[in-house]
Amino acid sequence: MRIKADWLNERPTQKVLRLLGGAGHQAFVVGGCVRNSLLGVPVTDIDIATSALPETVIELAETNGLKAVPTGIDHGTVTIVTDRVPFEVTTFRRDVETDGRRAVVAFTDALEEDARRRDFTMNAIYADADGAVVDPLDGLPDLNARRVRFIEDANQRIREDYLRSLRFFRFHAQYGDPDAGLDPEALAAIAGNLDGLDTLPGERTGAEMRKLLAATDPAPALAAMEITGALSRILPGAGSAFIAPLVHLESEANQPPDFMRRLVALGGDDPTMRLRLSRAEDKARHVLLRAIESGAGPAEIAWRFGAEASWSAVFVRHAMAGSPPTEDVSAEIEAGASADFPVSATDLMPDLQGAAIGEALGTLERAWIDSGFALTHKELLALLGNEG
């Protein structure tokens, strides 16, 4: 089997692979680029594995006029930049010691040893500069079946890095066969290693959850995550019941996946610290919660918080209710988002002062919204006995 892909045949990729191979070292593209090419999905990152030691990689690059940056040299990774394109080049390695978050590695010239320290069989597939696929651990059958499976002992793989439990659910959501179910051995191992999730830093946890919730349909993975106990360990009080109906509503309305909308639909305790939400994300979460809990209709929410928040509130509300939105919801949201309240505080002075202005504006605002944003400046002022 061979990979035929533009990214592999492009000059920068070939230059790095031929640089290493021409010096007598093994050099392969590996991981996501190979996996995604075989699945026919876009490739974003190109990682290269080699038998050359890091110092040799640096020497070869610099000798040939290429920039080499020791980005993770303790773990065997050197970034080579050619034609302004960066490539992470990592020496074949095996784990010597792990604590569930970090690993001490030793370098090796054996491709199979390098493959065995990876997480899933579908990520341990390599290809050489000509595109010839090398599959040392027989990962191709799993990839073709879209089956996410840990390499060899699932318990051992998880204890090497507890983030792999979350990656398992994320990979199933992104690449797994939704009709085939999730690997039972993996689920049992995840359920047996929940304590390890508590040791993960929020940045790593948050990054994985963002990717999981942004998948086209994360519902099966999140349901399995809840059954194993991993979901409540990451987000106490959260539940997956509303995710499947939410995904369905999004699909019916041709709306793209939205991390924050789905996070709010999970419910539970405030996830800000656990997922290291940014200030902007935290603000967006609170806006959406206010919109959902306000009791206001789609048009009013769109006027107060914007069209995006209104759509999210509509989807979450109806997912929870188990019912579809009304057919005119799009028009309501558009009307609210484009409406402009025609009265300002200066219109009420000098007849009103201080708190009375705020009260009057609130009254007029309510009347204007209830009219479907139809009442004019003159009609609103007339409600106060003021023709302006």
Side-chain angles (χ1 to χ4, degrees):
M1 178 180 290
R2 289 184 182 275
I3 289 176
K4 296 180 180 179
D6 291 341
W7 61 265
L8 179 60
N9 295 321
E10 287 172 351
R11 182 173 179 272
T13 311
Q14 286 294 313
K15 185 186 293 187
V16 176
L17 290 172
R18 302 295 181 187
L19 172 72
L20 296 164
H25 305 286
Q26 299 177 69
F28 302 91
V29 288
V30 64
C33 57
V34 178
R35 177 197 67 227
N36 286 15
S37 288
L38 292 172
L39 290 175
V41 299
V43 169
T44 55
D45 299 308
I46 303 172
D47 293 325
I48 295 174
T50 180
S51 59
L53 294 173
E55 54 269 27
T56 303
V57 173
I58 292 173
E59 181 181 355
L60 283 170
E62 292 179 343
T63 299
N64 287 272
L66 304 181
K67 183 179 180 180
V69 184
T71 45
I73 197 164
D74 290 343
H75 289 84
T77 300
V78 175
T79 298
I80 293 180
V81 182
T82 176
D83 299 335
R84 298 184 179 181
V85 180
F87 294 88
E88 285 196 354
V89 180
T90 304
T91 302
F92 295 162
R93 53 194 178 171
R94 58 182 174 82
D95 289 338
V96 174
E97 182 181 342
T98 61
D99 63 3
R101 289 176 59 182
R102 304 176 189 84
V104 176
V105 301
F107 301 130
T108 177
D109 59 3
L111 176 67
E112 190 167 321
E113 281 193 292
D114 184 73
R116 281 202 171 98
R117 72 171 302 278
R118 297 178 182 272
D119 48 11
F120 310 121
T121 55
M122 64 169 57
N123 288 340
I125 304 173
Y126 302 69
D128 66 16
D130 296 320
V133 172
V134 180
D135 183 20
L137 302 182
D138 202 25
L140 280 171
D142 286 334
L143 182 68
N144 292 332
R146 290 184 175 264
R147 180 171 51 242
V148 184
R149 190 168 63 87
F150 283 104
I151 291 171
E152 298 179 342
D153 188 318
N155 277 291
Q156 183 177 342
R157 295 288 83 75
I158 290 171
R159 289 167 187 166
E160 288 167 354
D161 184 352
Y162 291 111
L163 191 71
R164 287 173 172 172
S165 290
L166 301 186
R167 283 172 58 83
F168 173 81
F169 295 113
R170 192 253 291 183
F171 267 69
H172 181 79
Q174 291 180 322
Y175 307 111
D177 180 351
D179 297 324
L182 286 78
D183 180 57
E185 181 184 348
L187 294 176
I190 290 168
N193 289 280
L194 294 178
D195 287 349
L197 296 176
D198 299 336
T199 68
L200 295 174
E203 290 80 6
R204 298 186 78 200
T205 301
E208 280 302 319
M209 290 302 295
R210 284 173 179 82
K211 294 174 184 176
L212 169 57
L213 291 175
T216 301
D217 183 6
L222 286 166
M225 190 175 174
E226 183 174 10
I227 291 171
T228 64
L231 181 61
S232 60
R233 206 63 173 248
I234 296 298
L235 299 171
S240 66
F242 302 128
I243 299 298
L246 175 59
V247 169
H248 175 73
L249 292 175
E250 292 172 340
S251 176
E252 289 289 301
N254 293 317
Q255 289 286 317
D258 184 88
F259 156 68
M260 188 54 64
R261 182 192 303 147
R262 293 168 172 188
L263 179 62
V264 168
L266 287 174
D269 298 346
D270 186 338
T272 303
M273 292 304 298
R274 191 68 180 92
L275 302 185
R276 294 296 190 272
L277 299 183
S278 67
R279 289 184 179 180
E281 288 173 332
D282 188 46
K283 180 180 179 180
R285 175 178 167 274
H286 280 92
V287 165
L288 181 52
L289 287 171
R290 285 169 58 198
I292 293 169
E293 296 166 359
S294 67
E300 181 176 349
I301 294 175
W303 178 67
R304 295 188 184 280
F305 304 109
E308 184 176 345
S310 186
W311 273 115
S312 289
V314 166
F315 287 140
V316 175
R317 281 177 174 175
H318 284 273
M320 291 177 172
S323 63
T326 58
E327 292 184 1
D328 56 355
V329 65
S330 181
E332 291 182 51
I333 292 174
E334 184 177 349
S338 61
D340 186 13
F341 186 47
V343 177
S344 67
T346 56
D347 295 321
L348 307 183
M349 296 187 291
D351 297 329
L352 299 176
Q353 298 292 327
I357 293 177
E359 293 175 6
L361 284 173
T363 299
L364 296 181
E365 182 184 282
R366 186 72 264 161
W368 176 68
I369 293 170
D370 291 343
S371 75
F373 313 108
L375 289 175
T376 64
H377 176 272
K378 185 176 181 178
E379 289 169 335
L380 288 168
L381 293 181
L383 296 177
L384 297 179
N386 183 353
E387 297 295 331

